[in-house]
Amino acid sequence: MDKYGLIGYPLGHSFSISYFNQRFQDEGINAVYENYEIPTIEALDEVLNLNPELKGLNVTIPYKEKVIPYLDSISPEARAIGAVNVIKVTHQGKKVILKGYNSDVIGFTKSIEPMLDKNWHKKALILGTGGASKAIDFGLRNLGLETVFVSRYERPDTIQYESITPEVVKDYNVIVNCTPLGMYPNTEECPLLPYEAMDSHTILYDLIYNPDETLFMKRGAQYGAQTKNGLEMLLLQAFASWEFWHEK
């Protein structure tokens, strides 16, 4: 039986394990998907050694960048982003070959593209500077948008929340939340923004999918903003992972 899985720490509830095992069952695929909660990236070798049937892995926090030195090759897109969240595992004799990809950018761009109007949406704010934000930046720039990262702290090439005026929101009217603010159980939190400056040309995209509608989305929607959560992106990422694992 083929195996697929997820590496990260901590894992807790994982979308991938329920999605893939249900898919295997529905489609009669002789495979299983397991969570491999590893406390350090060095434990990846042990996972590979103990599971010779592994054909593919997903990678989540905090290993999307740390896993790169362990890979034999990496797709140009993942290299440009600087983060990997899909690994294809192949066996050549006793040697295990690992190739890294990034499905975040595919899932995100396919999900947000139908919302964009080139006449209105030219600039975007990316809230957060973690691993996912790099893929979001890559995807938005590929779609032709100018991007700015927003951080709570003074960091190179970022602006801070207190600098986001109503005028900035009018100009940068695509706003993507890549932070955990508002995620269950802390559903009463949201990024500090001038929501009252938003209107029907504002797009608020939240990578969070639990709850379905975050406070960030609710507050924007009160002023007419278009909103979307991260569930569709997750589904599209899962499709892309499967494609990468079976790439010839």
Side-chain angles (χ1 to χ4, degrees):
M1 182 186 283
D2 290 344
K3 273 190 184 178
Y4 300 87
L6 173 68
I7 58 168
Y9 189 86
L11 288 179
H13 168 72
S14 146
F15 168 85
S16 301
I17 193 168
S18 48
Y19 169 81
F20 280 109
N21 283 322
Q22 188 64 52
R23 179 174 176 179
F24 297 156
Q25 188 180 329
D26 292 347
E27 298 183 22
I29 297 168
N30 187 27
V32 65
Y33 191 102
E34 296 180 345
N35 280 350
Y36 301 104
E37 190 172 70
I38 53 175
T40 66
I41 191 60
E42 288 79 12
L44 175 60
D45 288 336
E46 188 180 353
V47 170
L48 295 166
N49 291 334
L50 292 175
N51 298 280
E53 315 89 340
L54 265 175
K55 294 289 190 288
L57 288 167
N58 289 119
V59 184
T60 189
I61 296 166
Y63 301 134
K64 289 186 181 188
E65 292 148 309
K66 292 175 182 170
V67 77
I68 291 174
Y70 289 79
L71 306 176
D72 298 285
S73 61
I74 182 171
S75 71
E77 205 163 51
R79 187 174 298 285
I81 295 164
V84 161
N85 72 330
V86 182
I87 300 171
K88 182 180 181 180
V89 182
T90 50
H91 298 264
Q92 293 179 359
K94 291 189 175 178
K95 187 163 170 53
V96 179
I97 309 291
L98 305 178
K99 181 169 184 182
Y101 302 86
N102 190 299
S103 67
D104 281 338
V105 67
I106 297 169
F108 173 70
T109 50
K110 283 187 175 176
S111 181
I112 198 170
E113 192 170 17
M115 302 176 77
L116 298 173
D117 179 335
K118 286 188 165 57
N119 295 317
W120 286 100
H121 302 123
K122 296 176 181 176
K123 297 181 181 180
L125 296 177
I126 300 170
L127 311 182
T129 55
S133 66
K134 294 179 178 179
I136 300 312
D137 177 52
F138 187 90
L140 288 169
R141 286 190 290 110
N142 263 4
L143 292 170
L145 279 77
E146 189 182 312
T147 59
V148 171
F149 287 101
V150 183
S151 174
R152 286 176 295 171
Y153 311 107
E154 292 280 346
R155 285 191 172 136
D157 305 316
T158 68
I159 63 168
Q160 282 57 60
Y161 285 92
E162 53 269 28
S163 308
I164 302 175
T165 61
E167 291 71 31
V168 171
V169 165
K170 292 282 187 201
D171 200 19
Y172 289 79
N173 56 5
V174 178
I175 305 175
V176 184
N177 180 33
C178 303
T179 78
L181 271 178
M183 187 187 292
Y184 180 84
N186 303 311
T187 55
E188 295 310 305
E189 295 179 350
C190 69
L192 292 171
L193 300 169
Y195 291 91
E196 67 283 357
M198 297 175 184
D199 58 30
S200 61
H201 296 303
T202 312
I203 292 174
L204 297 188
Y205 193 107
D206 203 327
L207 266 56
I208 293 168
Y209 59 95
N210 183 14
D212 291 340
E213 189 182 31
T214 57
L215 187 57
F216 166 71
M217 293 165 65
K218 280 180 187 166
R219 291 193 64 186
Q222 286 176 337
Y223 296 96
Q226 303 173 62
T227 64
K228 197 171 204 176
N229 70 18
L231 186 59
E232 184 184 53
M233 175 179 164
L234 269 182
L235 286 165
L236 291 165
Q237 279 175 286
F239 290 144
S241 296
W242 187 253
E243 297 293 317
F244 288 141
W245 293 331
H246 295 88
E247 190 178 75
K248 298 297 180 205

